Amino acid sequence: GSYGIVRWIQDDEGKWWVGKRSKTQSDLDDNDEKDQSKRCVGYWKTEKHCYETIGEADNIVSYQGTAPDAEGNQWMLFKPIYALNNINEVKQTSGSRPPVAPTLQDLLEVDRLDHLVNDEHHLYKISEALGIDEPSITFTLDVVVESVLQALVSCHEHKVVHRDVKPGNLLVGQGSLHLMDLGSAADLEPRGLLRKRQGFSGG
């Protein structure tokens, strides 16, 4: 993301996680403002807070807490969303890096180009990624819309507004779409230190 670094992280047992930390000053260009790294930390803390507020929820990437690296940087850890056709392969393979699910943006671009070359419908690759046996535009749209709406319900039930829902923030895998990237999200009922920082008062 614009404020964070995303990497694969492998634990001592060989299990893979998706990790995200805020950018430090050394990660930024010389042209960036000096306080840009502080802004990055702020976005990272907001995202962490919102994931903790939502917890385990339908159609939201699964946040698993934080862990430090050797340099003392804190990383948010997420369970990877796998490409549907590689789930069995991932379960059988312990050491190799798993294939992550593509974003809806990636698949829309592939579908756009493939449609011009092959005589497939506009959402064929999305249908394929969702594991739909007999791909059709109507059924694929139903799955996409239902997944996105469920993700929004999961956020809004916890008074969190995502504010950046777009194809690039939706992973397509394991039979549905999964919303990610809460860096621009807002907690409508902030608590504790975050509440004070945002200038709220009262109970």
Side-chain angles (χ1 to χ4, degrees):
S2 57
Y3 72 89
I5 302 290
V6 178
R7 294 280 186 271
W8 283 105
I9 295 176
Q10 192 174 28
D11 63 23
D12 294 337
E13 297 176 358
K15 190 172 183 180
W16 288 96
W17 306 91
V18 175
K20 186 174 188 178
R21 69 164 171 83
S22 62
K23 287 182 178 177
T24 64
Q25 198 61 47
S26 62
D27 297 315
L28 301 168
D29 296 330
D30 293 336
N31 296 329
D32 286 321
E33 301 173 26
K34 290 183 179 179
D35 63 347
Q36 183 70 17
S37 62
K38 292 180 181 177
R39 263 194 225 116
C40 292
V41 171
Y43 280 115
W44 186 89
K45 287 183 176 178
T46 295
E47 183 167 22
K48 175 177 173 287
H49 168 81
C50 289
Y51 274 117
E52 288 173 344
T53 299
I54 295 171
E56 288 287 333
D58 291 336
N59 298 99
I60 306 285
V61 294
S62 181
Y63 170 71
Q64 299 294 300
T66 61
D69 62 18
E71 287 76 40
N73 298 306
Q74 286 291 327
W75 292 78
M76 284 185 281
L77 300 178
F78 303 90
K79 286 183 182 176
I81 303 296
Y82 299 120
L84 184 69
N85 57 348
N86 294 108
I87 289 178
N88 292 331
E89 177 187 330
V90 169
K91 288 178 179 176
Q92 295 167 4
T93 308
S94 57
S96 59
R97 190 174 79 179
V100 72
T103 67
L104 182 59
Q105 179 65 46
D106 295 333
L107 293 172
L108 284 169
E109 183 62 17
V110 173
D111 268 330
R112 184 185 70 81
L113 296 174
D114 275 7
H115 178 69
L116 299 175
V117 178
N118 305 316
D119 194 22
E120 295 169 342
H121 69 69
H122 290 281
L123 303 180
Y124 185 83
K125 292 298 181 184
I126 296 171
S127 299
E128 199 174 55
L130 289 168
I132 297 171
D133 292 332
E134 296 182 10
S136 73
I137 292 178
T138 303
F139 188 69
T140 301
L141 282 174
D142 285 347
V143 175
V144 169
V145 172
E146 184 178 340
S147 295
V148 173
L149 290 177
Q150 183 57 62
L152 294 176
V153 167
S154 297
C155 288
H156 297 172
E157 282 179 342
H158 296 88
K159 303 296 189 284
V160 171
V161 181
H162 189 281
R163 303 201 301 183
D164 194 22
V165 178
K166 59 186 180 183
N169 283 338
L170 290 158
L171 293 173
V172 184
Q174 297 173 214
S176 64
L177 275 65
H178 307 264
L179 186 61
M180 61 178 178
D181 195 349
L182 298 178
S184 298
D187 183 352
L188 299 183
E189 292 184 352
R191 292 158 284 278
L193 180 61
L194 186 66
R195 187 179 184 90
K196 294 177 184 177
R197 185 182 298 126
Q198 293 183 354
F200 290 89
S201 59

